[in-house]
Amino acid sequence: MPRIRLVFMVTFASAALRAPHAEGQQRPVRLGYDAPVGCPDGGAFSAKLAERSRGLGIEPAGANAPDVDVVIRADGQGYHGSLDVVTPDGPIRRSIDGERCADLVTALALSAALLLDDASQAGGAAPAAATRAGAAARVAELPVGPPAATRWSAGARLEASLLLASGWALGPEVYVGVGWDRASIASPSLRLGFSYAAASLDATERGSADLGWFVGRVSGCPLRLGGEATGIRPCFGAGAGAVHGAGTGEPSAPASDTALWAELDAGARAHALLFHRLVLELEGGAVIPLTRYRFLFERPEAELGRVRAAGARIAVGAGGIF
C-alpha cells in the first residue's frame, strides 16, 4: 500500500503544482538513464517526461553530465529507482520504490517533470527558438533501448530423447551459455552443452544391448518472446559425438562397438527467473539424427533396434545467471 500511495501523491503534486510554459519555448535537458532488462527503455521515459512538462529538448547525456539522471535497480521486493535533477539551487535527489518497473518509471517521470518545472519557474532554464514540435522530434531520436546486457549462465538438465524406434533414452546434460538481454524481442543467446543418454534394447533370445550417447551440443536462440522474468525462446542447434553399444547375454564374450553420432535439433525453451539469479527451464522439440544405425547381433544376424529418421527431445533443468 505505501508504494501505491506514493505514486498517487506524485501524480497529484505534478498536476497541481506544474505551471504551463509558453508554446515555442524549449528547455534543453540531457538525460542519463540506466534500467535493468524488462523495464521501459530510455525512449519510453523521455516520452513520459515530455508529456508532463512542455517544451523539453531531451537528448542523451552521453559523455556529458546529465541534467536528469535515472537509475533503476531490481531488488527482492520489486524495483528501486533514484532520480537526480540538476537545479539552480543544486542537485536534488528523489527515491521511489515500486513492485512493477513500468509503474515506477511513470512515477519517476512525474517527479522529474515537477522538479524541472520548479527550476524553470525559478529562472534556471534558458529558452530556445525551437517549437514544442521540434522538441518532440528530438525525443523520438533517442535510442530505442539501453545497450544489451551480457549475461553468463551455467546449469544442468535431465533429458529424455526419442532416438530409437523402440523407446526413449534418458540422461543428464550440463551447459554453459551467454545471452545478450535487452527490453526487446531481439535478445539472442548461445549455449554449449555436453550430454550423456542411455537406453537398453531387449529384442531377441540371444540377449540384449546397452547403448550410450556422448554428445556435445551447441544451440542458439535468436529471439525472446516475453520478458526477462518469464518467456519463450525458439532455439536451433547441432550436436556431434559418439554412440556406443555393448551386447549382453551372449554365450561367448559380448561384443561392443562405437560409432560417430551427429544430429540437428529445433524447439522452444521456456524459462522462469527467480530471485534475479535462479532460472528454471523446460524445453521441447524435434531431433533429426544425421547418422542412423541398426543395432544387431551378427552370425546369425538378429536386429535389436534402429535409430529413427526423426525423433523428439524434452528437457527440464535449472541453472544460474551472472
Side-chain angles (χ1 to χ4, degrees):
M1 291 303 296
R3 290 173 180 154
I4 296 176
R5 286 199 297 269
L6 178 58
V7 172
F8 282 127
M9 288 170 62
V10 174
T11 305
F12 174 79
S14 64
L17 299 180
R18 187 178 69 244
H21 294 272
E23 290 289 337
Q25 189 177 35
Q26 184 188 58
R27 291 170 288 161
V29 173
R30 295 191 296 266
L31 174 65
Y33 187 84
D34 183 10
V37 174
C39 287
D41 57 32
F45 178 87
S46 301
K48 291 180 181 293
L49 181 58
E51 290 174 0
R52 291 160 177 82
S53 186
R54 295 182 180 181
L56 295 180
I58 306 175
E59 60 185 17
N64 300 315
D67 302 308
V68 176
D69 192 21
V70 178
V71 177
I72 300 174
R73 292 291 180 263
D75 57 33
Q77 301 298 321
Y79 295 89
H80 174 79
S82 63
L83 170 69
D84 292 283
V85 178
V86 177
T87 71
D89 298 326
I92 298 177
R93 167 163 288 194
R94 296 286 186 268
S95 296
I96 303 176
D97 294 328
E99 294 181 2
R100 298 179 67 250
C101 193
D103 294 338
L104 178 60
V105 168
T106 299
L108 290 169
L110 290 168
S111 184
L114 172 61
L115 294 174
L116 288 171
D117 285 348
D118 286 346
S120 177
Q121 292 173 13
T131 65
R132 185 181 179 193
R138 295 180 67 185
V139 170
E141 294 171 1
L142 287 171
V144 297
T150 301
R151 298 199 175 192
W152 295 88
S153 63
R157 313 192 309 176
L158 178 63
E159 296 184 341
S161 301
L162 186 61
L163 302 174
L164 300 171
S166 57
W168 296 79
L170 303 177
E173 180 194 43
V174 294
Y175 68 84
V176 294
V178 61
W180 294 270
D181 284 341
R182 63 195 326 157
S184 71
I185 191 175
S187 299
S189 66
L190 291 174
R191 177 177 291 186
L192 177 64
F194 178 80
S195 67
Y196 170 76
S200 295
L201 296 175
D202 296 288
T204 73
E205 65 278 1
R206 293 177 57 188
S208 61
D210 294 328
L211 303 178
W213 285 261
F214 304 84
V215 180
R217 188 179 301 118
V218 59
S219 61
C221 308
L223 306 175
R224 184 189 64 201
L225 309 177
E228 179 188 21
T230 58
I232 298 177
R233 298 176 183 268
C235 301
F236 308 90
V243 56
H244 177 78
T248 61
E250 284 276 74
S252 58
S256 64
D257 195 12
T258 301
L260 174 69
W261 178 263
E263 64 181 39
L264 298 175
D265 60 81
R269 183 182 302 158
H271 72 269
L273 182 63
L274 305 178
F275 312 112
H276 309 291
R277 286 292 181 267
L278 175 65
V279 60
L280 305 179
E281 67 178 44
L282 175 66
E283 183 172 352
V287 180
I288 307 297
L290 300 181
T291 49
R292 297 177 58 196
Y293 298 105
R294 296 168 60 214
F295 304 100
L296 50 86
F297 287 123
E298 297 179 333
R299 297 185 300 272
E301 181 177 299
E303 181 176 301
L304 287 84
R306 63 177 62 199
V307 173
R308 291 172 174 265
R313 178 177 290 124
I314 57 175
V316 59
I321 60 173
F322 48 93

